[in-house]
Amino acid sequence: MKTRYSYGGDEHIYVEMDEEMSLDAFFKSLSMSNAVREADIPGVTEICPANASFQVRFDPDVTPPEEMLNRVKELEHKAETAEKRMTTRIVEVPVYYQDPWTHETVMRFRERHQDPSGTDLDYGARINGYDSVEAFIEAHHAAPWFVSMVGFVSGLPFLYQLVERDKQIEVPKYLRPRTDTPKQTVGYGGCFTAIYSVRGAGGYQMFGITPMTIYDPRQETSYLKDFLVFFKPGDIVKFEPIDREAYDRVLAGVEAGTWQPRIAEVEFDLDAFKADMEGTNAKLMEALNGA
Amino acid sequence: MALKIVKPGLATSIQDLGRPGYFHLGIPQGGAMDRLAMRAANMLVGNPEEAAGLEAVFMGPEIAFTADASVAVTGAEMPVTVDGEPRETWTSFTVRKGQVLGFGFLQKGARIYIAVSGGIDTPPDLGSRSTYPIGALGGIEGRPIEAGDTLPVGSAPLVEEGRSAPAQLRRMPGNPAELRALPGLYWHRITEAAQQGFFDDTWTVAAEADRMGYRFKGGRVLEFVEREQPFGAGADPSNIVDGCYSYGSIQVPGGTEPIVLHRDAVSGGGYFTLGAVISADMDLIGQLQPNTEVKFRRVDMAEALAARAERRQMIEKLRQELA
């Protein structure tokens, strides 16, 4: 990994931990962006962590760009020596794969897809070497995911799966972006899952939909009363496959204010995970199932 | 006091100076695209600079007043009328109870700013009344204004008529417009010839130009430095591992049509960016009409900061003039 620093105009410092995605790059980016927050440098207005990079927005009239760049750089050693462990939460997110709503959208925008003859799931399964769509869906929800970035639009999480690199699913985005994506679509692009927090344009392949509201500007959802956005970088997510009946039940529960996502507090240690991925994931699942 | 919307115009929205602090969650700062014009309109009617007003693009609204108020219209050049009688732009005037504020055809620029003494008093979301439709924040239930809306206005004394912003403190893009940009971010991804070409070519504003971003066309296709795409970045040479976007950053999907992200920017994504338009020139983008010719001019950080200081001085002079 080689860190690269750059200005984004006169109001932003952009720090790229690595050109490629990895858990190491994500941990370092999160750790360094936290260090910048703690350093409380005058003039900093926003700190935005991303998958393998982060950005600092600042007022150059308060701290000039060169000084800001140097102060951010000084914090790199802190991120390098920081323990690669965190206390976070694991959240179970129900997903109705192959649902009728994303399927309708898949078919409506077929001419913008690499392979108009099948569905996004058929395509994803085939190019990733799976024998069946069912096996591909199984791989998508079998191992948990890290929320590695929140953004694009209102509270949309990007997630990176906790598996060996050779098991990472990779798919390209649509050839031309769609003008419509149902709200709460579970999509996939590059090596990331995204949950579309709101309805709108999108280029990710569509695999399913969650009945769980993750963005609520009116803050009426029972678990979003404190803040309108559910996810934050560092959250761990386990997708739980559900059928139509369960989907309708959860959706009604969310609307009635009676449904709550299952959440457990967990410790995550990157080195322990690398040494024993299955064992670490099993422990995460134990914590979740005990919640 | 309230404003009754008779005709909304094309995409007229309530805006103030925005809601910084939530970009890390994908919620942009938002606010007036031409901040200098918004500030000036507020100053002219005696409002705090951060009061909420209306931003109307290409076409003005028609508004009936339920009480007397001071009004100022700044930004683009568009004839202003009260009950059909002309009024000066960049100048305070009084609208009496029952009178209707109206507009003629756009002559120059793209966005007008309408300030009313007391400021629009809709409920703020995350500290701002700015309308952000994607996230359903601010405005009227998160949307632009519609015919039949009633916009509450705070109470404030009227100011004298004829308070005016000096012509040299009104800022509009030239033709061709010049936007100063600082190379950076993923600048190294394109070849030297492409770097040169981007600044040499004349671009035109495309039809897809809104509060999220302005698209440009007509320049040469940018060539990328060859590389094996990094894991997670996607196959196209213009793809990167999804990262943050800066306000003003210039992304060029597929190397063809540059997009400059503006106040309602998406906070991140998977396209390389070659640098950013400097903060001092962001206001100018808000006044560009489709098909306007644009040249990007390369500047260094010292020039960017000097331009920023110059812009700050303009605001300071406006404050002195209109105090």
Side-chain angles (χ1 to χ4, degrees):
Chain A
M1 287 204 291
K2 188 168 182 325
T3 311
R4 190 172 65 80
Y5 294 84
S6 174
Y7 295 115
D10 48 327
E11 291 186 345
H12 308 82
I13 305 271
Y14 188 87
V15 186
E16 185 185 62
M17 296 306 164
D18 200 354
E19 281 197 321
E20 63 174 33
M21 182 59 192
S22 66
L23 277 176
D24 287 289
F26 162 66
F27 257 74
K28 194 172 167 193
S29 138
L30 194 60
S31 164
M32 197 169 160
S33 60
N34 284 337
V36 174
R37 187 172 298 106
E38 282 155 22
D40 207 12
I41 307 167
V44 170
T45 56
E46 322 230 17
I47 299 161
C48 308
N51 298 306
S53 57
F54 71 97
Q55 176 173 275
V56 179
R57 188 177 187 214
F58 66 102
D59 180 347
D61 302 332
V62 177
T63 299
E66 200 180 332
E67 191 184 329
M68 183 61 73
L69 186 67
N70 288 334
R71 297 210 44 186
V72 171
K73 269 186 185 170
E74 281 165 17
L75 297 167
E76 188 177 346
H77 74 277
K78 247 190 168 174
E80 271 166 349
T81 53
E83 279 190 53
K84 287 176 182 163
R85 50 184 300 150
M86 60 166 93
T87 304
T88 181
R89 59 178 182 169
I90 182 166
V91 184
E92 187 175 272
V93 175
V95 179
Y96 180 14
Y97 291 96
Q98 294 183 289
D99 65 288
W101 306 284
T102 59
H103 182 75
E104 185 278 327
T105 316
V106 160
M107 299 321 285
R108 185 150 43 102
F109 291 99
R110 218 63 216 131
E111 88 289 354
R112 301 186 185 211
H113 195 272
Q114 290 82 355
D115 180 9
S117 68
T119 65
D120 292 6
L121 277 165
D122 293 335
Y123 175 71
R126 182 163 54 76
I127 66 167
N128 282 281
Y130 287 87
D131 293 336
S132 67
V133 165
E134 287 68 30
F136 182 62
I137 290 173
E138 162 80 24
H140 188 261
H141 64 69
W145 300 73
F146 245 117
V147 173
S148 51
M149 175 172 173
V150 176
F152 181 57
V153 294
S154 317
L156 181 155
F158 290 81
L159 303 102
Y160 184 71
Q161 198 167 24
L162 287 167
V163 292
E164 306 261 12
R165 178 168 291 186
D166 61 11
K167 287 189 187 156
Q168 297 274 350
I169 297 166
E170 271 197 283
V171 294
K173 296 169 187 176
Y174 270 46
L175 293 177
R176 283 185 297 130
R178 297 176 304 273
T179 52
D180 193 17
T181 311
K183 180 179 159 186
Q184 287 155 220
T185 290
V186 175
Y188 212 101
C191 60
F192 300 103
T193 286
I195 307 174
Y196 285 80
S197 51
V198 294
R199 184 178 178 179
Y204 276 30
Q205 310 277 340
M206 291 179 287
F207 292 174
I209 198 163
T210 175
M212 178 178 163
T213 299
I214 59 166
Y215 174 77
D216 179 7
R218 304 276 81 83
Q219 290 178 252
E220 285 157 1
T221 308
S222 63
Y223 51 90
L224 294 173
K225 291 211 186 294
D226 291 338
F227 197 62
L228 69 175
V229 170
F230 182 78
F231 286 111
K232 54 184 180 301
D235 282 343
I236 296 173
V237 166
K238 171 68 171 60
F239 292 122
E240 177 66 14
I242 56 168
D243 59 14
R244 175 66 188 261
E245 200 185 320
Y247 176 88
D248 290 341
R249 199 169 56 237
V250 174
L251 192 66
V254 171
E255 279 165 11
T258 52
W259 187 85
Q260 294 271 349
R262 189 203 291 243
I263 299 174
E265 193 181 288
V266 288
E267 290 285 324
F268 185 88
D269 184 310
L270 185 58
D271 293 328
F273 171 76
K274 282 183 178 166
D276 177 12
M277 292 193 188
E278 283 187 17
T280 306
N281 287 347
K283 272 190 206 150
L284 290 172
M285 288 311 298
E286 251 171 58
L288 182 63
N289 291 329
Chain B
M1 163 65 187
L3 304 178
K4 290 204 175 286
I5 306 303
V6 182
K7 289 180 186 166
L10 210 53
T12 305
S13 61
I14 297 170
Q15 299 294 342
D16 52 25
L17 295 181
R19 53 175 70 79
Y22 303 95
F23 208 36
H24 65 293
L25 298 172
I27 300 171
Q29 171 167 356
M33 285 188 73
D34 184 347
R35 289 164 67 90
L36 181 78
M38 181 83 249
R39 286 178 192 274
N42 274 323
M43 287 183 219
L44 286 164
V45 298
N47 284 345
E49 289 168 37
E50 65 277 10
L54 291 173
E55 176 183 275
V57 58
F58 305 142
M59 188 192 275
E62 208 174 287
I63 304 169
F65 283 60
T66 67
D68 297 357
S70 294
V71 173
V73 179
T74 60
E77 285 177 25
M78 190 188 280
V80 184
T81 60
V82 175
D83 280 352
E85 292 295 315
R87 294 288 184 277
E88 290 286 312
T89 55
W90 296 89
T91 304
S92 64
F93 56 88
T94 304
V95 180
R96 298 287 170 196
K97 179 181 174 179
Q99 287 189 315
V100 174
L101 177 69
F103 296 89
F105 290 112
L106 179 68
Q107 289 166 350
K108 197 177 170 193
R111 287 175 174 80
I112 55 164
Y113 291 87
I114 308 167
V116 180
S117 53
I120 292 174
D121 196 21
T122 42
D125 282 325
L126 302 176
S128 163
R129 297 183 170 85
S130 287
T131 313
Y132 175 54
I134 291 174
L137 295 174
I140 304 275
E141 291 160 359
R143 61 162 171 81
I145 62 167
E146 290 172 1
D149 281 343
T150 299
L151 313 184
V153 173
S155 63
L158 300 194
V159 297
E160 59 181 312
E161 291 196 274
R163 284 159 54 85
S164 189
Q168 68 272 21
L169 298 181
R170 308 172 187 178
R171 196 163 167 238
M172 282 297 253
N175 190 13
E178 180 185 89
L179 297 175
R180 289 167 287 186
L182 186 69
L185 300 165
Y186 290 86
W187 176 242
H188 58 280
R189 285 293 301 122
I190 52 173
T191 63
E192 263 179 51
Q195 292 175 345
Q196 188 66 39
F198 174 75
F199 286 110
D200 282 349
D201 288 352
T202 299
W203 300 86
T204 55
V205 177
E208 302 91 343
D210 58 24
R211 294 186 43 83
M212 186 190 279
Y214 260 61
R215 186 185 282 259
F216 298 86
K217 57 184 185 182
R220 277 167 288 177
V221 174
L222 304 183
E223 256 191 274
F224 291 88
V225 173
E226 275 189 47
R227 69 166 175 183
E228 191 184 326
Q229 281 294 93
F231 175 76
D236 194 272
S238 69
N239 285 152
I240 57 163
V241 169
D242 288 52
C244 300
Y245 288 148
S246 306
Y247 291 104
S249 63
I250 306 163
Q251 57 178 273
V252 196
T256 56
E257 296 183 351
I259 299 168
V260 179
L261 291 179
H262 217 272
R263 310 289 182 209
D264 286 356
V266 290
S267 69
Y271 290 113
F272 97 105
T273 44
L274 56 78
V277 171
I278 63 173
S279 61
D281 284 356
M282 288 292 282
D283 284 352
L284 295 178
I285 296 175
Q287 295 299 353
L288 295 176
Q289 289 180 13
N291 295 320
T292 308
E293 292 198 335
V294 172
K295 289 274 280 189
F296 292 95
R297 182 156 74 82
R298 181 177 182 162
V299 293
D300 60 20
M301 184 60 87
E303 289 168 284
L305 292 178
R308 185 181 171 90
E310 198 182 321
R311 188 181 164 282
R312 204 172 53 237
Q313 280 159 16
M314 275 180 85
I315 297 170
E316 211 38 67
K317 277 184 194 155
L318 272 171
R319 285 179 187 141
Q320 285 162 13
E321 289 281 339
L322 301 171

